[in-house]
C-alpha cells in the first residue's frame, strides 16, 4: 500500500542535514572516534536537586493523573514568580501556559493564528521549527528575514515589507548565530510589531546560558510588549533537562489563550511530576542573579568556548566569542557543506550553516557541548585539517 502525504508535508523543504547525517553515520559505522560538535543538547548533567525533586514527585502516586492543557496552577505560579525575580516583570498566572518544551508551543502558536497563505516573518538563518513545524505545517507562508553579519545578525526592520505579515519570530540569544541583543533592540521589535499589527513570537530558550557578565533580557520587560508579544522559554537548556520536555509561554493574554485552546485539543500538558519538579527548579532563583549551579555550568561552557574560538582564530577563522548559547557561528569562507565534510574526514562533526536557511550559507555552527578534553582534541583535529 502507498499513501499520499498531505500537501503541507510535501511543502516542507528538503532536509538539508540528511546528507551530513548519513556521512556521520557512515563514519560511526567505520568505527571512527567521532567528536560531535553538531547537536544543541547539553552534555552537562541536570543539577542534583532537580533530579531529586523528580524522584520525589514521581514516587508520589497522586502525580500520575492527567494534568491540564494549560498546566498545573503551581507551575504557572512558579513561572510567574520567576519572571518577577529574574526580569522584574509582573505576570498574572492566566498569562502563562505550560508547554511540552518550547518547541511544542512554537509549533502550535501558528495553528491558533495563521490561516492558509498568511505570511509569517521568519529569520534566516534560524531554528528550523519557525518555518517548518510552525508556519508550513499550519499552511502559512514563510517569508525569510535575513540576519546578516553586518547588522549583528539582527533583522533590519526598515527593510522588511510587513504589509501582509501576520506573525514574526525572533530569537535572542540566537541559535545558530549566538548573537545577543539589548533592550533597545527589543523596544524596536515591539514598536515594529505594533506599527504593523503583527504577532511577535519571542523565543528566549537560551536566556540563562550567558557569559562575560551578559544578562539576557526578556521581551516582556519592554513597555507595551504584552500588547503584541508572547515569549517562549523552557527549562531544557537552563537545567540541562532537554529530554524531560517542560517549558512555558507567557505574555499577551489572547495569544496565551489561543495557544491553550489549540493545546486543549492536542495534549494534556506535561506529566504532573515533571511540572512539580520544575517548580522546585525555578525556585532555585532567589533574585535576578543566576543560581550557583548555573554559574558553575556557564563557567565550564565559557572555558570551552574560549578554547574553541582561540583555536579557530589561530587557524584563520575569525569569529567573536559569543556572549550566550553554546554555539560558535564561524564564517567558513565558502561552501558550508564542504567545510563540514572536510571536518568529518578528521572525525569532527559540525553543522553546515545552509541547513538553517539560505543566509546561513558560508557559515558553520560549532557546538561546545562536549567535555573540555574532547573540545581540545577536536581543536587539534580542526587545526590539522586546515
Ligand atoms: C532556538 C531554540 N528554540 C527552542 C528550542 C526548543 O527547546 P525545547 O523544546 O527543549 O524547549 C531549541 C532547541 O534546540 C532552540 O534551539
Amino acid at each position: 500500500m502507498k499513501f499520499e502525504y498531505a500537501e503541507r508535508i510535501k511543502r516542507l523543504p528538503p532536509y538539508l542535514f540528511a546528507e551530513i547525517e548519513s556521512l556521520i553515520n557512515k563514519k560511526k559505522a567505520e568505527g571512527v572516534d567521532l567528536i560531535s560538535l553538531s547537536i544543541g543538547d547539553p552534555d552537562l548533567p541536570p543539577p542534583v536537586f532537580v533530579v531529586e525533586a523528580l524522584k520525589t514527585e514521581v514516587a508520589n502516586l497522586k502525580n500520575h493523573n492527567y494534568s491540564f492543557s494549560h498546566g498545573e496552577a503551581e507551575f504557572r505560579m512558579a513561572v510567574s514568580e520567576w519572571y518577577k525575580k529574574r526580569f522584574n516583570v509582573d505576570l498574572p498566572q492566566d498569562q502563562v501556559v505550560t508547554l511540552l518544551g518550547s518547541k511544542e508551543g512554537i509549533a502550535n502558536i501558528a495553528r491558533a493564528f495563521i490561516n492558509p497563505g498568511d505570511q509569517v516573518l521568519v529569520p534566516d538563518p534560524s531554528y528550523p521549527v519557525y518555518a517548518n513545524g510552525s508556519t508550513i505545517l499550519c499552511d502559512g507562508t514563510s517569508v525569510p528575514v535575513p540576519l546578516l553579519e553586518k547588522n549583528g545578525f539582527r533583522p533590519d526592520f526598515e527593510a522588511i515589507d510587513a504589509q501582509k505579515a501576520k506573525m514574526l519570530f525572533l530569537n535572542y540569544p540566537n541559535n545558530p548565530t549566538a548573537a545577543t541583543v539589548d533592550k533597545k533592540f527589543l523596544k524596536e521589535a515591539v514598536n515594529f510589531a505594533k506599527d504593523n499589527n503583527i504577532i511577535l513570537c519571542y523565543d528566549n530558550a537560551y536566556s540563562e546560558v550567558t557569559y562575560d557578565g551578559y544578562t539576557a533580557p526578556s521581551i516582556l520587560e519592554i513597555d507595551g510588549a504584552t500588547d503584541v508579544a508572547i515569549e517562549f522559554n523552557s527549562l531544557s537548556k537552563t537545567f540541562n533537562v532537554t529530554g524531560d520536555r517542560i517549558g512555558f509561554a507567557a505574555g499577551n493574554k489572547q495569544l496565551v489563550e489561543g495557544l491553550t485552546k489549540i493545546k486543549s485539543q492536542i495534549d494534556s500538558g506535561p506529566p504532573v511530576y515533571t511540572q512539580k519538579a520544575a517548580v522546585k527548579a525555578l525556585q532555585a532563583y532567589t533574585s535576578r542573579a543566576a543560581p550557583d549551579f548555573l554559574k558553575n555550568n556557564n563557567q565550564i561552557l565559557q572555558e570551552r568556548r574560549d578554547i574553541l574560538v582561540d583555536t579557530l582564530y589561530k587557524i584563520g577563522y575569525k569569529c567573536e566569542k559569543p556572549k550566550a548559547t553554546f554555539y560558535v557561528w564561524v564564517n567558513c569562507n565558502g561552501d558550508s557543506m564542504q567545510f563540514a565534510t572536510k571536518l568529518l574526514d578528521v572525525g569532527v562533526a559540525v553543522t553546515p550553516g545552509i541547513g538553517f536557511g539560505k543566509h546561513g550559507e558560508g557559515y558553520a555552527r560549532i557546538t561546545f557541548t562536549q567535555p573540555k578534553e574532547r573540545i581540545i582534541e577536536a581543536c587539534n583535529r580542526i587545526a590539522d585539517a586546515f
Side-chain angles (χ1 to χ4, degrees), residues 227-296:
D227 294 341
V228 280
I230 181 165
E231 177 162 281
F232 297 87
N233 207 327
S234 137
L235 280 78
S236 286
K237 322 278 176 176
T238 307
F239 295 92
N240 301 328
V241 290
T242 48
D244 290 325
R245 312 312 300 135
I246 175 90
F248 49 89
N252 177 276
K253 195 159 181 277
Q254 196 204 340
L255 297 177
V256 168
E257 272 171 14
L259 178 54
T260 309
K261 268 191 188 163
I262 296 294
K263 286 176 61 60
S264 68
Q265 299 300 327
I266 296 177
D267 66 76
S268 305
V272 175
Y273 51 80
T274 311
Q275 295 186 59
K276 291 202 168 172
V279 168
K280 292 182 186 150
L282 289 176
Q283 284 173 346
Y285 280 78
T286 51
S287 69
R288 189 181 176 82
D292 286 345
F293 81 88
L294 191 61
K295 278 190 203 142
N296 290 340

Side-chain angles (χ1 to χ4, degrees), residues 40-41 100-106 126-127 129-130 171 173-176 203-206 232-237 241-243 245-248 326-327 365:
D41 196 356
L100 294 139
S102 57
K103 182 181 190 177
E104 176 261 302
I106 290 165
S126 69
Y127 180 52
V129 181
Y130 313 137
N171 159 231
N174 185 261
N175 174 16
D203 178 358
N204 212 352
Y206 295 89
F232 297 87
N233 207 327
S234 137
L235 280 78
S236 286
K237 322 278 176 176
V241 290
T242 48
R245 312 312 300 135
I246 175 90
F248 49 89
F326 30 65
Y327 305 117
R365 193 192 73 177

